[in-house]
Amino acid sequence: MSISSEHKPLGKQVTGSLHTLSPIVELNVGGEMYTTTLSTLKKHSGSKLAEMFTGQPKLRTDSEGRFFIDRPGTYFKYILEYLRSNQVPTQCIQDVYKEALFYNIEPLIKQLEDSPQIFGELVARKQFLARVPNYSENIELMIRIARAEAVASRRSSVIVCVVRTEEDVARCQDALNSLDMDKKSVVKFGPWKAAPSISDLLDCIQMDVEAKGYKISFQPHVAEKGFRFKSHDFFYKFLFTWW
């Protein structure tokens, strides 16, 4: 006995136009199953999500005929709730923001960017770090040095030199010349023209290294006796713990 097309799961009908199919859509988003309507998915016509379900199907289907989206399914429920009721999520803000960017849902992106979490990250912290020369490259350099020194060790350390002003650059170089260590292994941050202090930058370094999965702490680097400068004015030891 044949089954009429109106009773077949939408996801299996990948050869026809979506305009002619049932308005009920079954989705498999990264292994999480959702059921919604075409009108919900196409609510914001300029979004990538609406584009996926406009005209010919642009997605693969799983073994059950559900449209498959290869994204984290956990956070799709917040995207769907916003499309259904304009409810802006209050949980998992950073992760939902990434998904909103992927699906290009501009109203949700703008509302999330007004939230304290995203506003603080994008407008305050990121704008500050953009004024610190080679910040991202220096983070990667710190990690490479720490990994190179981790052989047969539980911990490895990286010495960081932080200079906030142009005036401090020369003083730091003099201090660096007095240090009894390989100068190439010292990572220098700064100078910068922004309100945050050296302690703020140190917190950012720790935050961004930890975000990459490393366990790290820092303290002022105390040099040997007879050192001509207060080493803690510029130098800090970041300690990576591996196990």
Side-chain angles (χ1 to χ4, degrees):
M1 178 178 172
S2 63
I3 301 176
S4 64
S5 60
E6 63 179 353
H7 295 300
K8 292 179 181 178
L10 176 61
K12 292 183 179 180
Q13 302 182 43
V14 294
T15 57
S17 170
L18 282 166
H19 293 296
T20 64
L21 303 178
S22 166
I24 307 300
V25 182
E26 292 184 356
L27 299 173
N28 176 345
V29 185
E32 299 281 341
M33 311 307 166
Y34 294 94
T35 302
T36 186
T37 65
L38 275 177
S39 60
T40 295
L41 295 171
K42 296 166 64 176
K43 183 174 181 180
H44 296 287
S45 58
S47 71
K48 184 175 181 178
L49 193 58
E51 181 185 343
M52 290 177 181
F53 294 93
T54 299
Q56 293 293 328
K58 300 174 178 64
L59 296 169
R60 296 179 179 178
T61 57
D62 65 12
S63 60
E64 297 298 320
R66 293 173 290 234
F67 284 111
F68 179 73
I69 302 177
D70 193 14
R71 295 295 294 180
T74 303
Y75 310 116
F76 189 74
K77 64 182 178 182
Y78 300 110
I79 299 293
L80 204 53
E81 188 59 34
Y82 177 78
L83 295 175
R84 287 168 172 163
S85 61
N86 292 322
Q87 180 175 328
V88 179
T90 57
Q91 304 177 55
C92 308
I93 300 297
Q94 297 281 356
D95 294 303
V96 177
Y97 179 67
K98 292 177 184 176
E99 298 310 296
L101 288 173
F102 173 79
Y103 294 116
N104 193 29
I105 304 173
E106 290 190 3
L108 178 56
I109 291 171
K110 291 178 180 178
Q111 290 183 69
L112 287 174
E113 287 179 348
D114 283 337
S115 69
Q117 299 94 320
I118 302 298
F119 179 88
E121 177 68 11
L122 294 181
V123 177
R125 198 176 84 93
K126 289 295 186 185
Q127 287 298 314
F128 158 53
L129 295 178
R131 302 183 186 189
V132 180
N134 303 314
Y135 176 80
S136 297
E137 294 85 348
N138 284 339
I139 293 291
E140 295 301 326
L141 178 57
M142 285 180 62
I143 292 172
R144 288 199 300 272
I145 293 172
R147 291 174 68 94
E149 297 182 358
V151 178
S153 300
R154 183 172 186 180
R155 298 178 180 87
S156 57
S157 62
V158 178
I159 302 300
V160 167
C161 174
V162 184
V163 288
R164 182 176 179 183
T165 67
E166 293 287 354
E167 292 75 15
D168 284 340
V169 173
R171 294 176 60 211
C172 178
Q173 187 59 49
D174 288 341
L176 186 60
N177 291 335
S178 299
L179 279 178
D180 184 21
M181 64 171 58
D182 182 2
K183 310 301 186 296
K184 294 181 180 179
S185 66
V186 178
V187 183
K188 184 173 77 70
F189 287 85
W192 63 88
K193 294 181 180 179
S197 66
I198 287 177
S199 63
D200 293 325
L201 179 66
L202 294 170
D203 287 340
C204 287
I205 294 172
Q206 181 174 14
M207 184 186 308
D208 289 328
V209 172
E210 287 180 340
K212 295 178 180 292
Y214 296 92
K215 185 177 180 181
I216 189 174
S217 61
F218 68 88
Q219 63 188 33
H221 176 62
V222 180
E224 65 282 352
K225 280 187 175 182
F227 190 64
R228 292 188 293 124
F229 298 87
K230 290 182 179 179
S231 59
H232 56 75
D233 285 347
F234 304 110
F235 297 98
Y236 298 84
K237 178 184 289 187
F238 279 80
L239 190 66
F240 288 71
T241 301
W242 301 102
W243 50 273

